[in-house]
């Protein structure tokens, strides 16, 4: 019966040899921990139906509806007499061709 001896590097063990042998399981464990952390962050976000934080809208909190005389400040109103540029007019034109990803 023949006996075999282990080489000195594997017989003595050591941290480097242990890490080399267990590199794939360690990488898998780290990837699993990262995926679990990402899932925990994703699933513990706040309720999407909850009202968003923002400034109060006192005109919407009134019991009566604003009438035709209750208008926004003039600097918030659109200027209906402003000229329409060619670029803006082209942006409003409907798309007549069918969309494609390639020429042809």
């Amino acid at each position: 019966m023949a006996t075999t001896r282990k080489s000195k590097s594997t017989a003595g063990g050591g941290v480097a040899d242990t890490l080399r042998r267990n590199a794939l399981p360690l990488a898998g464990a780290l990837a699993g921990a990262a995926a679990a952390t990402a899932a925990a962050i994703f699933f513990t976000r706040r309720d999407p139906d909850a009202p968003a934080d923002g400034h109060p809208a006192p005109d919407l909190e009134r019991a009566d509806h604003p009438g035709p005389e209750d208008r926004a400040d003039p600097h918030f109103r659109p200027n209906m007499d402003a000229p329409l540029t060619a670029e803006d007019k082209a942006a409003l034109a409907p798309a007549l061709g069918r969309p494609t990803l390639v020429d042809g």
Side-chain angles (χ1 to χ4, degrees), residues 47-89:
D47 184 17
D49 295 329
D53 296 335
H55 61 83
D59 57 337
L60 299 177
E61 294 173 357
R62 299 189 315 193
D64 60 329
H65 184 71
E69 302 302 321
D70 299 328
R71 295 192 59 185
D73 291 333
H75 60 277
F76 285 113
R77 297 183 207 156
N79 184 1
M80 301 309 286
D81 297 325
L84 187 63
T85 64
E87 293 85 21
D88 290 339
K89 190 173 183 179

Side-chain angles (χ1 to χ4, degrees), residues 9-70:
S9 65
T10 58
V15 176
D17 188 42
T18 303
L19 285 177
R20 197 173 301 117
R21 280 184 286 137
N22 296 324
L24 194 58
L26 286 174
L30 288 175
T37 303
I41 291 171
F42 179 75
F43 288 116
T44 58
R45 292 186 301 176
R46 64 184 204 115
D47 184 17
D49 295 329
D53 296 335
H55 61 83
D59 57 337
L60 299 177
E61 294 173 357
R62 299 189 315 193
D64 60 329
H65 184 71
E69 302 302 321
D70 299 328

